[in-house]
């Protein structure tokens, strides 16, 4: 979230990224992480320790140890995409969320569990957003 400070004439004095409340109460949740994700986080944590990056954040800004802004994460992704010549793939940060949900549904995970992990109140929201997933794969699991 951006916090903007104005002077007495309503000119912008500064803009700062701040951590605020989540968009919805459903956004605050516990998510089970696959072993591969835990291993990647542990590897990143070790890298930060070796680089003497001390931070309260899991994925800190590597220069300051502070909060990593969305723009910084996005620019890292843009550099990665360019380096690996993936521009035609149209990869965005949202791509990762979309892929995560799609794979879960294709692997026949219970749609209710996927909806909970995605922070959706209704299973129909999850299924509507990821409707390109095979209907047979989704419907073969019983929703609880």
């Amino acid at each position: 979230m951006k916090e903007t400070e104005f002077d007495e004439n309503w000119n912008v004095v500064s803009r700062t990224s701040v951590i605020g409340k989540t968009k919805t109460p459903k956004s605050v949740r516990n998510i089970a992480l696959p072993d591969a994700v835990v291993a990647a986080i542990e590897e990143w944590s070790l890298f930060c320790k070796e680089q003497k990056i001390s931070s309260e954040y899991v994925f800190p800004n590597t220069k300051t140890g502070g909060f990593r802004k969305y723009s910084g994460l996005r620019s890292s992704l843009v550099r990665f995409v360019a380096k690996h010549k993936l521009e035609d793939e149209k990869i965005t940060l949202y791509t990762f969320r979309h892929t995560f949900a799609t794979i879960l549904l294709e692997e026949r995970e219970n749609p209710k569990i996927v909806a909970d992990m995605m922070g959706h109140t209704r299973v129909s929201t999850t299924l509507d957003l990821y409707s390109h997933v095979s209907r047979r794969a989704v419907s073969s699991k019983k929703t609880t």
Side-chain angles (χ1 to χ4, degrees), residues 72-85:
L73 185 58
R74 187 180 170 286
S75 64
S76 293
L77 179 60
V78 168
R79 284 192 308 275
F80 177 88
V81 166
K83 178 180 178 181
H84 296 282
K85 299 179 180 17

Side-chain angles (χ1 to χ4, degrees), residues 83-138:
K83 178 180 178 181
H84 296 282
K85 299 179 180 17
L86 297 169
E87 293 88 353
D88 291 343
E89 299 299 323
K90 308 284 190 265
I91 299 170
T92 67
L93 291 172
Y94 178 78
T95 304
F96 297 106
R97 175 181 169 85
H98 186 86
T99 301
F100 177 71
T102 301
I103 289 171
L104 288 173
L105 292 171
E106 286 176 346
E107 292 296 317
R108 300 180 180 189
E109 182 56 75
N110 184 316
K112 174 66 175 147
I113 291 171
V114 178
D116 287 342
M117 293 177 85
M118 302 309 292
H120 299 152
T121 304
R122 294 184 307 274
V123 173
S124 61
T125 302
T126 305
L127 295 176
D128 288 346
L129 289 169
Y130 310 108
S131 62
H132 64 280
V133 176
S134 164
R135 290 281 177 211
R136 199 171 72 207
V138 173

